[in-house]
Coordinates of all heavy atoms in Angstrom, one line a residue:
M1 N 15.7 -7.1 14.4 CA 14.6 -7.6 13.6 C 13.7 -6.4 13.2 O 13.6 -5.4 14.0 CB 13.7 -8.6 14.4 CG 14.5 -9.8 14.9 SD 14.3 -11.3 13.9 CE 12.7 -11.3 13.2
Y2 N 13.0 -6.5 12.1 CA 12.1 -5.4 11.6 C 10.7 -6.0 11.3 O 10.6 -7.2 11.1 CB 12.7 -4.8 10.4 CG 13.9 -4.0 10.6 CD1 15.2 -4.6 10.5 CD2 13.8 -2.6 10.9 CE1 16.3 -3.8 10.8 CE2 14.9 -1.9 11.1 CZ 16.2 -2.5 11.0 OH 17.3 -1.7 11.3
R3 N 9.8 -5.2 11.4 CA 8.4 -5.6 11.0 C 7.8 -4.4 10.2 O 8.2 -3.2 10.4 CB 7.6 -6.0 12.1 CG 7.2 -4.9 13.1 CD 6.2 -5.4 14.1 NE 5.9 -4.2 14.9 CZ 4.9 -4.1 15.8 NH1 4.2 -5.2 16.0 NH2 4.7 -3.1 16.5
V4 N 6.8 -4.7 9.4 CA 6.0 -3.6 8.7 C 5.1 -2.9 9.7 O 4.3 -3.5 10.4 CB 5.2 -4.3 7.5 CG1 4.4 -3.2 6.9 CG2 6.2 -4.9 6.5
D5 N 5.2 -1.6 9.7 CA 4.3 -0.8 10.5 C 3.1 -0.6 9.6 O 3.1 0.2 8.6 CB 5.0 0.6 10.9 CG 4.1 1.5 11.7 OD1 2.9 1.6 11.4 OD2 4.6 2.0 12.6
K6 N 2.0 -1.2 10.0 CA 0.7 -1.2 9.2 C 0.2 0.2 9.0 O -0.2 0.6 7.9 CB -0.3 -2.1 9.8 CG 0.0 -3.5 9.8 CD -1.1 -4.3 10.5 CE -0.8 -5.8 10.6 NZ -1.8 -6.5 11.4
K7 N 0.1 1.0 10.1 CA -0.5 2.3 10.0 C 0.3 3.3 9.1 O -0.3 3.9 8.2 CB -0.6 2.9 11.4 CG -1.6 2.2 12.3 CD -3.0 2.5 11.9 CE -3.9 1.9 13.0 NZ -5.3 1.9 12.5
V8 N 1.6 3.3 9.3 CA 2.5 4.2 8.5 C 2.5 3.7 7.0 O 2.4 4.5 6.1 CB 3.9 4.3 9.1 CG1 4.8 5.2 8.2 CG2 3.8 4.9 10.5
T9 N 2.5 2.4 6.8 CA 2.5 1.9 5.5 C 1.2 2.3 4.8 O 1.2 2.7 3.6 CB 2.7 0.3 5.5 OG1 4.0 0.1 6.0 CG2 2.6 -0.3 4.1
G10 N 0.1 2.2 5.5 CA -1.2 2.6 4.9 C -1.2 4.1 4.5 O -1.7 4.4 3.4
K11 N -0.6 4.9 5.3 CA -0.5 6.3 5.0 C 0.4 6.5 3.8 O 0.1 7.4 3.0 CB 0.0 7.1 6.2 CG -0.9 7.2 7.4 CD -0.3 7.9 8.6 CE -1.3 7.9 9.7 NZ -0.8 8.6 10.9
K12 N 1.5 5.8 3.7 CA 2.3 5.9 2.5 C 1.6 5.5 1.2 O 1.8 6.1 0.2 CB 3.6 5.1 2.8 CG 4.5 5.7 3.8 CD 5.8 4.9 4.1 CE 6.8 5.4 3.1 NZ 8.2 4.8 3.5
I13 N 0.9 4.4 1.3 CA 0.1 3.9 0.1 C -0.9 5.0 -0.2 O -1.0 5.4 -1.4 CB -0.6 2.6 0.4 CG1 0.4 1.5 0.6 CG2 -1.6 2.2 -0.7 CD1 -0.2 0.2 1.1
K14 N -1.6 5.6 0.7 CA -2.6 6.6 0.5 C -1.9 7.8 -0.2 O -2.5 8.4 -1.1 CB -3.3 7.0 1.8 CG -4.4 8.0 1.5 CD -5.1 8.3 2.9 CE -6.3 9.2 2.7 NZ -7.0 9.4 3.9
L15 N -0.8 8.2 0.3 CA 0.0 9.4 -0.2 C 0.3 9.1 -1.7 O 0.2 10.0 -2.5 CB 1.2 9.6 0.6 CG 2.1 10.8 0.1 CD1 1.4 12.1 0.1 CD2 3.4 10.8 0.9
M16 N 0.8 7.9 -2.0 CA 1.2 7.6 -3.4 C 0.0 7.6 -4.3 O 0.1 8.0 -5.4 CB 2.0 6.3 -3.5 CG 3.4 6.4 -2.8 SD 4.4 7.8 -3.4 CE 4.6 7.4 -5.1
M17 N -1.1 7.1 -3.8 CA -2.3 7.1 -4.6 C -2.8 8.5 -4.9 O -3.1 8.9 -6.0 CB -3.5 6.4 -3.8 CG -3.3 4.9 -3.7 SD -4.5 4.1 -2.6 CE -6.0 4.6 -3.4
Y18 N -2.7 9.4 -3.9 CA -3.0 10.8 -4.0 C -2.1 11.5 -5.1 O -2.6 12.2 -6.0 CB -2.9 11.5 -2.7 CG -3.1 13.0 -2.8 CD1 -4.4 13.5 -3.0 CD2 -2.0 13.9 -2.7 CE1 -4.6 14.9 -3.1 CE2 -2.2 15.3 -2.9 CZ -3.5 15.8 -3.0 OH -3.7 17.1 -3.2
K19 N -0.8 11.2 -4.9 CA 0.2 11.8 -5.9 C -0.1 11.4 -7.3 O 0.2 12.1 -8.2 CB 1.6 11.4 -5.5 CG 2.1 12.2 -4.3 CD 3.6 11.8 -4.0 CE 4.1 12.6 -2.8 NZ 5.5 12.3 -2.6
R20 N -0.5 10.2 -7.5 CA -0.8 9.6 -8.8 C -2.2 9.8 -9.3 O -2.6 9.5 -10.4 CB -0.5 8.1 -8.9 CG 1.0 7.8 -8.5 CD 2.0 8.4 -9.5 NE 3.3 8.0 -9.2 CZ 4.3 8.8 -8.7 NH1 4.0 10.1 -8.4 NH2 5.5 8.3 -8.4
G21 N -3.1 10.4 -8.4 CA -4.5 10.6 -8.8 C -5.3 9.4 -9.0 O -6.2 9.4 -9.8
I22 N -5.0 8.3 -8.2 CA -5.7 7.1 -8.4 C -6.6 6.8 -7.2 O -6.1 6.8 -6.0 CB -4.7 5.9 -8.5 CG1 -3.9 6.1 -9.8 CG2 -5.4 4.6 -8.6 CD1 -2.8 5.0 -10.1
Q23 N -7.8 6.6 -7.4 CA -8.8 6.3 -6.3 C -8.7 4.8 -6.0 O -8.2 4.0 -6.8 CB -10.2 6.6 -6.8 CG -10.4 8.1 -7.0 CD -11.8 8.4 -7.5 OE1 -12.5 7.5 -7.9 NE2 -12.2 9.6 -7.4
S24 N -9.2 4.4 -4.8 CA -9.1 3.1 -4.3 C -9.8 2.1 -5.3 O -9.3 1.0 -5.5 CB -9.5 2.9 -2.9 OG -10.8 3.3 -2.7
K25 N -10.9 2.5 -5.8 CA -11.7 1.5 -6.6 C -10.9 1.3 -8.0 O -11.0 0.2 -8.5 CB -13.1 2.0 -6.9 CG -13.2 3.4 -7.6 CD -14.6 3.8 -7.7 CE -14.7 5.2 -8.4 NZ -16.1 5.7 -8.5
V26 N -10.2 2.3 -8.5 CA -9.5 2.1 -9.7 C -8.2 1.3 -9.4 O -7.9 0.3 -10.2 CB -9.0 3.5 -10.2 CG1 -8.1 3.4 -11.4 CG2 -10.2 4.3 -10.6
L27 N -7.6 1.5 -8.3 CA -6.4 0.7 -7.9 C -6.8 -0.8 -7.7 O -6.1 -1.7 -8.1 CB -5.8 1.3 -6.6 CG -4.5 0.5 -6.1 CD1 -3.4 0.6 -7.2 CD2 -4.0 1.2 -4.9
A28 N -8.0 -1.0 -7.0 CA -8.5 -2.3 -6.8 C -8.7 -3.0 -8.2 O -8.3 -4.2 -8.3 CB -9.8 -2.3 -6.0
A29 N -9.3 -2.4 -9.1 CA -9.5 -3.0 -10.4 C -8.2 -3.3 -11.1 O -8.0 -4.4 -11.7 CB -10.3 -2.0 -11.3
K30 N -7.2 -2.4 -11.0 CA -5.9 -2.7 -11.6 C -5.2 -3.9 -11.0 O -4.4 -4.5 -11.6 CB -5.0 -1.4 -11.6 CG -5.5 -0.3 -12.5 CD -4.5 0.9 -12.4 CE -5.0 2.0 -13.3 NZ -4.4 1.9 -14.6
L31 N -5.5 -4.1 -9.7 CA -4.8 -5.2 -9.0 C -5.7 -6.5 -9.0 O -5.3 -7.5 -8.5 CB -4.6 -4.8 -7.6 CG -3.5 -3.7 -7.3 CD1 -3.4 -3.3 -5.9 CD2 -2.2 -4.1 -7.9
G32 N -6.8 -6.4 -9.7 CA -7.7 -7.6 -9.9 C -8.7 -7.9 -8.8 O -9.2 -9.0 -8.7
Y33 N -9.0 -6.9 -8.0 CA -10.0 -7.0 -6.9 C -11.3 -6.6 -7.4 O -11.4 -5.6 -8.2 CB -9.6 -6.2 -5.7 CG -8.4 -6.8 -4.9 CD1 -7.1 -6.2 -5.1 CD2 -8.5 -7.9 -4.1 CE1 -6.0 -6.7 -4.4 CE2 -7.4 -8.4 -3.4 CZ -6.2 -7.8 -3.6 OH -5.1 -8.3 -2.9
A34 N -12.4 -7.2 -7.0 CA -13.8 -6.9 -7.4 C -14.2 -5.6 -6.8 O -15.0 -4.9 -7.4 CB -14.7 -8.0 -7.0
D35 N -13.7 -5.2 -5.6 CA -14.1 -4.0 -5.0 C -12.9 -3.4 -4.3 O -11.9 -4.0 -4.2 CB -15.4 -4.1 -4.1 CG -15.1 -5.1 -2.9 OD1 -14.1 -5.0 -2.3 OD2 -16.0 -5.9 -2.7
S36 N -13.1 -2.2 -3.6 CA -12.0 -1.5 -3.0 C -11.8 -1.9 -1.5 O -11.0 -1.2 -0.9 CB -12.1 0.0 -3.2 OG -13.3 0.4 -2.6
S37 N -12.6 -2.8 -1.0 CA -12.5 -3.1 0.5 C -11.1 -3.5 0.9 O -10.6 -3.1 2.0 CB -13.5 -4.1 0.9 OG -13.3 -5.3 0.2
T38 N -10.4 -4.3 0.1 CA -9.0 -4.7 0.5 C -8.1 -3.5 0.5 O -7.3 -3.3 1.5 CB -8.5 -5.8 -0.4 OG1 -9.4 -6.9 -0.3 CG2 -7.1 -6.2 -0.1
I39 N -8.2 -2.7 -0.5 CA -7.3 -1.5 -0.6 C -7.6 -0.6 0.6 O -6.7 0.0 1.2 CB -7.6 -0.7 -1.9 CG1 -7.5 -1.6 -3.1 CG2 -6.7 0.5 -2.0 CD1 -6.2 -2.3 -3.4
N40 N -8.9 -0.4 0.9 CA -9.3 0.5 2.1 C -8.7 -0.1 3.4 O -8.3 0.7 4.3 CB -10.8 0.7 2.1 CG -11.3 1.5 0.9 OD1 -10.6 2.3 0.4 ND2 -12.5 1.2 0.5
R41 N -8.7 -1.4 3.6 CA -8.1 -2.0 4.8 C -6.6 -1.7 4.8 O -6.0 -1.5 5.9 CB -8.4 -3.5 4.8 CG -9.8 -3.8 5.3 CD -9.9 -5.3 5.7 NE -9.7 -6.2 4.6 CZ -10.6 -6.6 3.7 NH1 -11.8 -6.2 3.7 NH2 -10.3 -7.4 2.7
W42 N -5.9 -1.7 3.7 CA -4.5 -1.4 3.6 C -4.3 0.1 4.1 O -3.4 0.4 4.9 CB -3.9 -1.6 2.3 CG -3.9 -3.0 1.7 CD1 -4.1 -4.1 2.4 CD2 -3.7 -3.3 0.3 NE1 -4.0 -5.2 1.6 CE2 -3.8 -4.7 0.3 CE3 -3.5 -2.6 -0.8 CZ2 -3.6 -5.4 -0.9 CZ3 -3.4 -3.3 -2.0 CH2 -3.4 -4.7 -2.0
I43 N -5.1 0.9 3.5 CA -5.0 2.4 3.8 C -5.2 2.7 5.2 O -4.6 3.5 5.9 CB -6.0 3.2 2.9 CG1 -5.5 3.1 1.4 CG2 -6.1 4.6 3.3 CD1 -6.5 3.6 0.4
R44 N -6.2 2.0 5.8 CA -6.5 2.2 7.3 C -5.5 1.6 8.2 O -5.5 1.8 9.4 CB -7.9 1.7 7.6 CG -9.0 2.5 7.0 CD -10.4 2.1 7.6 NE -10.7 0.7 7.3 CZ -11.4 0.3 6.3 NH1 -11.9 1.1 5.4 NH2 -11.6 -1.0 6.2
G45 N -4.6 0.7 7.6 CA -3.6 0.1 8.4 C -4.1 -1.1 9.2 O -3.5 -1.6 10.1
E46 N -5.2 -1.7 8.7 CA -5.8 -2.9 9.3 C -5.0 -4.1 8.9 O -4.9 -5.1 9.7 CB -7.3 -3.0 9.0 CG -8.1 -1.9 9.6 CD -9.5 -1.9 9.1 OE1 -9.9 -2.9 8.4 OE2 -10.3 -1.0 9.4
T47 N -4.6 -4.1 7.6 CA -3.8 -5.2 7.1 C -2.8 -4.6 6.2 O -2.8 -3.4 5.9 CB -4.7 -6.2 6.2 OG1 -5.3 -5.4 5.1 CG2 -5.8 -6.8 7.0
T48 N -1.9 -5.5 5.7 CA -0.8 -5.0 4.7 C -0.9 -5.9 3.5 O -1.3 -7.1 3.6 CB 0.6 -5.1 5.3 OG1 0.9 -6.4 5.8 CG2 0.8 -4.1 6.5
P49 N -0.5 -5.4 2.4 CA -0.5 -6.2 1.2 C 0.5 -7.3 1.3 O 1.5 -7.2 2.0 CB 0.0 -5.2 0.1 CG -0.3 -3.8 0.7 CD -0.1 -4.0 2.1
S50 N 0.3 -8.3 0.5 CA 1.3 -9.4 0.4 C 2.5 -8.8 -0.3 O 2.4 -7.8 -1.0 CB 0.7 -10.6 -0.4 OG 0.5 -10.2 -1.7
Y51 N 3.6 -9.6 -0.3 CA 4.8 -9.1 -1.0 C 4.5 -8.9 -2.5 O 4.8 -7.9 -3.1 CB 6.0 -10.1 -0.9 CG 7.2 -9.6 -1.6 CD1 8.0 -8.6 -1.1 CD2 7.6 -10.2 -2.8 CE1 9.1 -8.1 -1.8 CE2 8.7 -9.7 -3.5 CZ 9.4 -8.7 -3.0 OH 10.5 -8.2 -3.7
E52 N 3.7 -9.9 -3.1 CA 3.4 -9.8 -4.5 C 2.5 -8.5 -4.8 O 2.7 -7.8 -5.8 CB 2.6 -11.0 -4.9 CG 2.2 -11.0 -6.4 CD 1.4 -12.3 -6.7 OE1 1.8 -13.4 -6.2 OE2 0.5 -12.2 -7.5
N53 N 1.6 -8.2 -3.9 CA 0.8 -7.0 -4.0 C 1.6 -5.7 -3.8 O 1.3 -4.7 -4.5 CB -0.4 -7.0 -3.1 CG -1.5 -7.9 -3.7 OD1 -1.7 -7.9 -4.9 ND2 -2.2 -8.6 -2.8
F54 N 2.6 -5.8 -2.9 CA 3.5 -4.6 -2.8 C 4.2 -4.3 -4.1 O 4.3 -3.2 -4.5 CB 4.5 -4.8 -1.7 CG 4.1 -4.3 -0.3 CD1 4.1 -5.2 0.8 CD2 3.7 -3.0 -0.1 CE1 3.7 -4.7 2.0 CE2 3.3 -2.5 1.1 CZ 3.3 -3.4 2.2
V55 N 4.7 -5.4 -4.7 CA 5.4 -5.2 -6.0 C 4.4 -4.7 -7.1 O 4.8 -3.8 -7.8 CB 6.0 -6.6 -6.5 CG1 6.5 -6.5 -7.9 CG2 7.1 -7.0 -5.5
N56 N 3.2 -5.2 -7.1 CA 2.2 -4.8 -8.1 C 1.8 -3.3 -7.8 O 1.6 -2.5 -8.8 CB 1.0 -5.7 -8.1 CG 1.3 -7.0 -8.7 OD1 2.2 -7.1 -9.7 ND2 0.7 -8.1 -8.3
L57 N 1.7 -3.0 -6.6 CA 1.4 -1.6 -6.2 C 2.5 -0.6 -6.7 O 2.2 0.4 -7.2 CB 1.3 -1.4 -4.7 CG 0.0 -1.7 -4.0 CD1 0.2 -1.8 -2.5 CD2 -1.1 -0.8 -4.4
S58 N 3.7 -1.0 -6.5 CA 4.8 -0.2 -7.0 C 4.8 0.0 -8.5 O 5.2 1.1 -9.0 CB 6.2 -0.7 -6.5 OG 6.5 -1.9 -7.2
V59 N 4.4 -1.0 -9.2 CA 4.3 -0.9 -10.7 C 3.2 0.1 -11.0 O 3.3 1.0 -11.8 CB 4.1 -2.3 -11.3 CG1 3.8 -2.1 -12.8 CG2 5.4 -3.1 -11.1
V60 N 2.0 -0.2 -10.5 CA 0.8 0.6 -10.8 C 1.0 2.1 -10.4 O 0.6 3.0 -11.1 CB -0.5 0.0 -10.1 CG1 -1.6 1.0 -10.3 CG2 -0.8 -1.3 -10.7
L61 N 1.6 2.3 -9.2 CA 1.8 3.6 -8.7 C 3.1 4.3 -9.1 O 3.4 5.4 -8.8 CB 1.7 3.6 -7.1 CG 0.4 3.2 -6.6 CD1 0.4 3.1 -5.0 CD2 -0.7 4.2 -7.0
K62 N 3.9 3.6 -9.9 CA 5.1 4.0 -10.5 C 6.0 4.6 -9.4 O 6.4 5.8 -9.4 CB 4.8 5.1 -11.6 CG 4.1 4.5 -12.7 CD 3.8 5.6 -13.8 CE 3.1 4.9 -14.9 NZ 1.9 5.6 -15.3
C63 N 6.3 3.7 -8.4 CA 7.2 4.1 -7.4 C 8.0 2.9 -6.9 O 7.9 1.8 -7.5 CB 6.4 4.7 -6.2 SG 5.3 3.5 -5.4
E64 N 8.9 3.1 -6.0 CA 9.7 2.0 -5.5 C 9.1 1.4 -4.2 O 8.3 2.1 -3.6 CB 11.1 2.5 -5.1 CG 11.9 3.0 -6.4 CD 13.3 3.4 -6.0 OE1 13.9 3.0 -5.0 OE2 13.9 4.2 -6.8
L65 N 9.4 0.2 -3.9 CA 8.9 -0.4 -2.7 C 9.1 0.4 -1.4 O 8.2 0.5 -0.6 CB 9.4 -1.8 -2.5 CG 8.9 -2.9 -3.4 CD1 9.7 -4.2 -3.2 CD2 7.5 -3.1 -3.3
K66 N 10.3 1.0 -1.3 CA 10.6 1.8 -0.2 C 9.6 3.0 0.0 O 9.5 3.6 1.1 CB 12.0 2.3 -0.2 CG 12.3 3.3 -1.3 CD 13.8 3.8 -1.3 CE 14.0 4.8 -2.3 NZ 15.2 5.4 -2.2
D67 N 9.0 3.5 -1.1 CA 8.0 4.5 -1.0 C 6.7 4.1 -0.4 O 5.9 4.9 -0.1 CB 7.8 5.1 -2.4 CG 9.0 5.7 -3.1 OD1 9.8 6.3 -2.3 OD2 9.2 5.6 -4.3
L68 N 6.5 2.8 -0.3 CA 5.2 2.2 0.2 C 5.3 1.6 1.5 O 4.4 1.6 2.3 CB 4.7 1.2 -0.8 CG 4.4 1.7 -2.3 CD1 4.1 0.5 -3.2 CD2 3.3 2.7 -2.2
V69 N 6.4 1.0 1.8 CA 6.6 0.2 3.0 C 7.4 1.0 4.1 O 8.4 1.6 3.8 CB 7.4 -1.1 2.8 CG1 7.5 -2.0 4.0 CG2 6.7 -1.9 1.7
H70 N 6.8 0.9 5.3 CA 7.6 1.5 6.5 C 7.9 0.4 7.4 O 7.0 -0.3 8.0 CB 6.7 2.6 7.2 CG 7.5 3.2 8.3 ND1 8.4 4.2 8.1 CD2 7.5 3.0 9.6 CE1 8.9 4.6 9.2 NE2 8.4 3.8 10.2
L71 N 9.2 0.2 7.7 CA 9.7 -0.8 8.6 C 10.0 -0.2 10.0 O 10.6 0.9 10.0 CB 10.9 -1.5 8.1 CG 10.7 -2.3 6.8 CD1 12.0 -2.9 6.3 CD2 9.6 -3.4 6.9
E72 N 9.7 -0.9 11.0 CA 10.1 -0.4 12.3 C 10.9 -1.5 13.0 O 10.6 -2.7 12.8 CB 8.9 -0.1 13.2 CG 7.9 -1.2 13.5 CD 6.7 -0.8 14.3 OE1 6.7 0.4 14.8 OE2 5.8 -1.6 14.5
Q73 N 11.9 -1.1 13.8 CA 12.7 -2.1 14.4 C 12.0 -2.6 15.7 O 11.4 -1.8 16.5 CB 14.0 -1.4 14.8 CG 15.1 -2.4 15.2 CD 16.5 -1.8 15.3 OE1 16.7 -0.6 15.1 NE2 17.5 -2.7 15.5
V74 N 12.1 -3.9 15.9 CA 11.4 -4.5 17.1 C 12.5 -5.2 18.0 O 13.5 -5.4 17.6 CB 10.3 -5.5 16.8 CG1 9.2 -4.8 16.1 CG2 10.8 -6.6 15.9

């Protein structure tokens, strides 16, 4: 069985944002959020995006899902 490692996934999201030059408030707006608090919780590893948001992140950040998600074996 596998699960999403929240902390590592958050770091991967942050890295892709950095590579694309996108700030959390801009990413939040592109994903339809009023502010960046949800994005910041993802980056800190407190929560993870839904599957739909992972797909939308990959589109906005022009990357593959594997570039954003880190799975760990449990």
Side-chain angles (χ1 to χ4, degrees):
M1 302 264 324
Y2 291 89
R3 70 175 182 168
V4 175
D5 182 317
K6 293 178 188 177
K7 294 286 185 189
V8 177
T9 296
K11 289 177 182 180
K12 291 178 88 169
I13 292 170
K14 185 176 181 177
L15 176 63
M16 290 309 297
M17 289 171 58
Y18 175 77
K19 286 183 175 182
R20 301 296 183 250
I22 296 178
Q23 296 177 341
S24 58
K25 63 183 175 182
V26 174
L27 182 59
K30 288 180 182 270
L31 295 176
Y33 291 101
D35 61 45
S36 61
S37 61
T38 298
I39 308 300
N40 292 330
R41 282 195 298 273
W42 296 344
I43 291 170
R44 289 190 302 266
E46 295 172 7
T47 61
T48 57
S50 65
Y51 180 76
E52 183 177 322
N53 279 324
F54 270 124
V55 172
N56 290 328
L57 277 169
S58 70
V59 171
V60 172
L61 296 174
K62 298 179 178 130
C63 64
E64 295 183 24
L65 286 175
K66 67 178 183 170
D67 298 324
L68 300 172
V69 181
H70 181 81
L71 299 176
E72 63 180 350
Q73 194 168 6
V74 292

